[in-house]
């Protein structure tokens, strides 16, 4: 099968590239082995973000708050403030590294252990903000509690999203003059409507804070972007893996995937957006860190002992490993650029965050579709 | 040998990083609180079962084996294979009479076909349905697939076999139980389309049910016997260089992937010779080797549903690619959702409600698509969608048979 562009990886970088190109009339296929880092997202993007992302996501129904070029702060589940640029609408952003509230209610569904209420309360008291932690229960959550594997963010969202009035009622009962309610991100799995409805129904600001994975807003955004990509005419090969590639004279000729075996996929241009170790965009043996699909040049310390720092809290050098490219984001193989291949997202060597993933993605999009 | 090779486990279970993404996408979890979910039933449970088989939980039978957990797992864990293999290895419960009947699709088919009109009548009687509901626990809301009076093989021998000799290029056809006993029309459409492409059709030497229903009903020994039979029959034709085509995505998936993974039947000699008909036709046409000539008057708005096993195979693009070749067609991609039937699962009284609840998202999506009909490569999805939405469901090969100008296509492929 032939496309104008084949994208390897369906995470933030791959989907953004696909959606943007497909909207410009470039036919794209995205190959995605499994779900990606968006499913573990905090709900916010760190690092310099390109401004094009805001209108592109808005067309797909994804509202991004904040300023792509200016820092804002969000309150994290560990109770600290973190500098971010953009955030999904669930998150509350502040102009300085201080929460804006005089009295806070932290409300958690009874029995939900993936939300660290004690850390959050601790963080608030360090900021000198008074708060109380309360749990609320609804009859529909009872069956979930019987099975611990279901008392997770997504299971709760599936139950609560269609009962926003009941949730609002339960929170109302707990309110006692608080001007901010902190809730876990367990609302809005398939659409942002439940998040909006709850905000409308409760007479205080609501900040939805990240839980242990999976990330409910992350899954929603992934689904919205994928849907928009397919609606624009894109082909999404879900659950398939690019297993080998033919490169000759510095050009990618075709890709093979696990599911399509002998049926090769060809394109004019290819984008590698396969993420890092976590998504198997990078692999390692005891001796080396490598890029498994094309065998591209990887920037990382050669000595294994230099991959990590003995101090577990220090930045770990292996985390910055990634492919090296020329100025046009063509990755190098044996020192030479592969001319119809681009790299975007966290597969690139250096710091990894959503801003960097998006910036490289839009740069590649502009190279391909002027 | 690398460290990973030494410490590696069956179906990759040690790669699980406990993210619960699989559980988030499992269609059974939200509708059946007794089901522990793929993470717990799969990699988590496997750790315990390896220590002591007593940890096996019979609730694993609620797994549909839809493979959606595998499609989404970021770590490439074969979650559903772990679950199904655990059922095969550890389950002590014997399949009930009802499960045996539902699973024995080809035996039932060959027994009742000669008396099909009577059986269909009896199966659709309110009284029979109530008795089946009460005695056999087959849910009374189910409309049983009708049995056809003439089997596909019977029709083929009488009406088509002789004329296949004129074609130099040949393929073998694995028709499956559904075309065999319930819906020979799809097989007839397949022969029509292949002949128009200038390709003759042969049947396999005694094909048996692929065994998918036996696997899910805890009859893996019986399934393995069928697998060995089919494997020998397919190997024989494949050795002569011929392709074996099937119209059912589930039969194809089962024979390609479940035979080696679950039934331990080595199919490496013929795995790549077995293809879905839609893939074969798509490849023949897109390479320019064959031509399709469509009727100008064919117009349709079609909503395509990707069955779970086709999603896992990753070959949906061939079916939609073929449909998109038809000039008068407007194609709507339905969101990827399980229809809830999962073969014989939804026929069981204890699963009926869960089955309909699972399918709801798909049914709503179909209603809002306002299509002329739904297209789908799976026979059990067809029953479920037709029963639950009232929409007609057609196989892509039947759509081709209808949309093609068969004479002009035959002319173009001479
Ligand atoms: C767990 C986690 C949480 C994070 N949270 C945040 C956050 O909250 N905010 C922030 O700013 N940054 C966060 N990051 C940083 C992250 O790197 C970026 O935000 C960004 O999401 C990376 O996107 P990506 O598309 O480059 O890679 P990924 O999201 O990793 O996607 C790569 C995709 O490629 C697929 N793939 C890999 N190899 C193949 C192959 N051979 N064939 C087919 N498909 C393949 C994978 O399956 C995966 O779907 C997080 C990173 C991780 C790992
Ligand atoms: S999705 Fe994969 S890695 Fe995550 S819990 Fe399930 S099996 Fe484990
Ligand atoms: S195969 Fe389907 S039903 Fe079974 S655990 Fe996986 S997702 Fe759930």
């Amino acid at each position: 099968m032939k496309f104008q562009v084949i994208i390897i990886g369906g995470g933030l970088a791959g989907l953004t590239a696909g959606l943007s190109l497909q909207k410009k009339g470039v036919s794209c296929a995205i190959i995605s082995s499994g779900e990606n880092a968006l499913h573990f997202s905090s709900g916010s993007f760190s690092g310099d973000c390109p401004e094009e992302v805001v209108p592109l996501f808005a067309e797909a129904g994804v509202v991004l708050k904040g300023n792509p070029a200016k820092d804002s702060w969000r309150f994290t589940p560990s109770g600290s403030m973190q500098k971010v640029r953009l955030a999904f609408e669930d998150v509350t952003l502040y102009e300085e590294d201080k929460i804006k509230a005089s009295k806070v209610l932290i409300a958690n569904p009874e029995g939900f252990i993936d939300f660290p209420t004690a850390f959050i309360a601790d963080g608030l008291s360090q900021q000198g903000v008074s708060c109380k932690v309360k749990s609320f229960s609804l009859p529909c959550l009872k069956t979930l509690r019987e099975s611990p594997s279901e008392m997770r963010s997504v299971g709760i969202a599936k139950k609560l999203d269609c009962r926003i009035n009941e949730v609002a009622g339960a929170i109302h009962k707990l309110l006692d003059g608080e001007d901010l309610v902190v809730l876990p991100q367990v609302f809005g799995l398939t659409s942002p409507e439940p998040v909006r409805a709850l905000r409308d129904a409760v007479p205080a600001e609501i900040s939805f804070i990240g839980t242990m994975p999976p990330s409910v807003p992350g899954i929603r955004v992934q689904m919205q972007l994928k849907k928009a990509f397919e609606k624009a005419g894109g082909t999404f090969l879900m659950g398939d893996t690019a297993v080998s590639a033919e490169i000759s004279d510095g050009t990618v000729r075709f890709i093979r995937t696990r599911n399509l075996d002998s049926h090769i996929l060809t394109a004019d241009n290819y984008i590698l957006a396969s993420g890092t170790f976590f998504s198997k965009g990078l692999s390692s043996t005891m001796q080396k860190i490598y890029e498994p699909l094309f065998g591209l040049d990887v920037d990382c310390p050669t000595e294994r002992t230099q991959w990590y720092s003995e101090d577990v809290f220090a930045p770990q050098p292996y985390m910055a490993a990634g492919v090296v490219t020329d100025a046009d984001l063509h990755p190098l193989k044996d020192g030479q650029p592969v001319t119809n291949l681009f790299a975007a997202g966290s597969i690139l060597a250096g710091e990894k965050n959503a801003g960097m993933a998006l910036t490289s993605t839009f740069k590649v999009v502009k190279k391909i579709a002027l | 040998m690398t460290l990973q090779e030494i410490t590696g486990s069956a179906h990759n279970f040690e790669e699980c990083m406990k993210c619960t993404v699989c559980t988030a996408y499992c269609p059974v979890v939200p509708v059946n609180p007794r089901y522990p979910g793929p993470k717990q039933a799969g990699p988590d449970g496997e750790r315990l079962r390896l220590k002591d088989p007593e940890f096996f939980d019979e609730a694993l039978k609620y797994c549909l084996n839809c493979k959606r957990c595998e499609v989404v797992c970021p770590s490439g864990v074969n979650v559903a294979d772990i679950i199904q293999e655990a059922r095969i290895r550890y389950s002590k419960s014997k399949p009930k009479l009802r499960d045996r009947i539902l699973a024995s699709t080809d035996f039932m088919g060959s027994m009742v076909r000669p008396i099909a009109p009577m059986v269909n009548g009896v199966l659709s009687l309110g009284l029979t349905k109530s008795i089946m509901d009460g005695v056999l626990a087959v849910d009374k809301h189910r409309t049983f697939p009708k049995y056809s009076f003439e089997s596909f093989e019977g029709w083929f021998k009488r009406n088509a076999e002789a004329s296949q000799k004129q074609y130099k290029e040949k393929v073998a056809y694995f028709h499956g139980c559904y075309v065999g006993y319930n819906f020979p029309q799809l097989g007839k459409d397949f022969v029509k389309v292949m002949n128009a492409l200038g390709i003759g059709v042969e049947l396999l030497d005694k094909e048996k049910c692929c065994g998918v229903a036996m696997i899910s009903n805890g009859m893996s020994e019986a399934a393995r016997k069928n697998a060995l039979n089919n494997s020998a029959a397919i190997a024989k034709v494949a050795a002569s260089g011929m392709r074996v085509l099937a119209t059912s995505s589930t039969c194809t998936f089962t024979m390609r992937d479940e035979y080696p993974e679950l039934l331990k039947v080595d199919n490496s000699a013929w795995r790549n010779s077995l293809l879905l008909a839609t893939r074969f036709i798509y490849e023949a046409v897109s390479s320019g080797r064959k031509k399709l000539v469509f009727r100008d008057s064919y117009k349709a708005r079609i909503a395509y549903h990707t069955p779970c096993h086709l999603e896992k195979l990753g070959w949906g693009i061939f079916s939609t690619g073929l449909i998109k070749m038809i000039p008068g067609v407007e194609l709507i991609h339905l969101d990827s959702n399980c229809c809830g039937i999962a073969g014989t699962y939804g026929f069981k009284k204890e699963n009926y409600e869960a089955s309909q609840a699972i399918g709801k998202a798909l049914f709503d999506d179909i209603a809002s698509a306002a299509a002329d009909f739904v297209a789908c490569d799976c026979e059990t999805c067809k029953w479920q969608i037709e029963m639950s939405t009232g929409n007609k469901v057609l196989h892509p090969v039947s759509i081709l048979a209808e949309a093609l100008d068969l004479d002009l296509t035959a002319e173009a492929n001479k």
Side-chain angles (χ1 to χ4, degrees), chain A residues 42-44 65 74-77 87-94 107 115 120 136 160-161 164 167 171 180-188 192-200 202 204-211 216-217 220:
Chain A
S42 58
S44 54
K65 288 180 176 172
R74 74 167 179 120
F75 187 58
T76 74
F88 303 149
E89 61 187 285
D90 318 54
V91 177
T92 304
L93 291 181
Y94 300 96
F115 189 54
I120 296 171
F136 64 91
L160 296 188
D161 274 355
I164 290 301
V167 179
I171 292 171
L180 174 68
V181 180
V182 167
L183 282 172
Q185 288 174 351
V186 293
F187 301 93
E193 277 313 317
V195 167
R196 293 174 194 170
L198 198 53
R199 282 202 170 118
D200 287 345
V202 172
E205 163 71 14
I206 302 185
S207 179
F208 297 89
I209 296 199
T211 62
V216 169
R220 175 184 78 229

Side-chain angles (χ1 to χ4, degrees), chain B residues 25-28 35 37-38 62-69 80 83:
Chain B
Y25 285 88
C26 171
V28 180
Y35 184 55
Y62 296 118
C63 167
L64 299 171
N65 198 21
C66 69
K67 309 280 182 194
R68 286 185 180 267
C69 45
I83 297 170

Side-chain angles (χ1 to χ4, degrees), chain A residues 7-15 31-38 40-47 74 82 240-243 272-276 278-281 292-293 344-347 352-355 357, chain B residues 73-74:
Chain A
I7 301 163
I8 299 124
L12 185 63
L15 271 172
I31 312 169
S32 182
S33 341
E35 295 302 0
N36 51 75
L38 270 177
F40 304 79
S41 166
S42 58
S44 54
F45 296 167
S46 318
R74 74 167 179 120
Q82 190 201 3
D240 203 357
T241 305
V243 287
L272 183 66
S274 52
T276 59
F278 174 80
S279 296
K280 303 195 171 174
L293 182 58
S346 57
I347 182 74
K352 322 277 178 183
N353 55 41
Chain B
C73 172

Side-chain angles (χ1 to χ4, degrees), chain B residues 357-414:
Chain B
I358 292 170
K360 188 170 180 306
L362 174 67
F363 307 151
D364 291 350
D365 203 15
I366 290 176
S368 64
D372 296 325
F373 55 86
V374 175
C376 170
D377 296 68
C378 168
E379 56 274 19
T380 51
C381 297
K382 173 180 158 83
W383 297 332
Q384 173 76 334
I385 294 170
E386 290 186 340
M387 187 201 96
S388 310
T389 69
N391 280 65
K392 191 166 75 163
V393 179
L394 289 178
H395 191 283
V397 166
S398 294
I399 296 174
L400 279 188
E402 177 71 23
L404 283 176
D405 185 316
L406 293 167
D407 296 332
L408 288 184
T409 303
E411 202 57 47
N413 289 298
K414 274 237 161 80

Side-chain angles (χ1 to χ4, degrees), chain B residues 102-153:
Chain B
L102 285 175
S104 304
T105 43
D106 54 358
F107 176 72
M108 280 291 284
S110 53
M111 291 296 290
V112 303
R113 192 195 30 74
I115 48 167
M118 196 180 93
V119 175
N120 290 335
V122 173
L123 284 176
S124 61
L125 282 179
L127 182 65
T128 320
K129 286 192 167 187
S130 295
I131 293 176
M132 296 222 300
D133 186 287
V135 180
L136 287 175
V138 171
D139 195 275
K140 63 171 178 285
H141 298 93
R142 287 282 163 214
T143 317
F144 244 81
K146 289 212 176 352
Y147 284 102
S148 160
F149 189 59
E150 186 183 40
S151 76
F152 172 70
E153 286 197 18

Side-chain angles (χ1 to χ4, degrees), chain A residues 258-280:
Chain A
R258 189 195 56 215
N259 287 340
L260 301 180
D261 47 74
S262 60
H263 191 101
I264 57 170
L265 298 177
T266 56
D268 304 325
N269 287 294
Y270 300 78
I271 303 176
L272 183 66
S274 52
T276 59
F277 301 99
F278 174 80
S279 296
K280 303 195 171 174

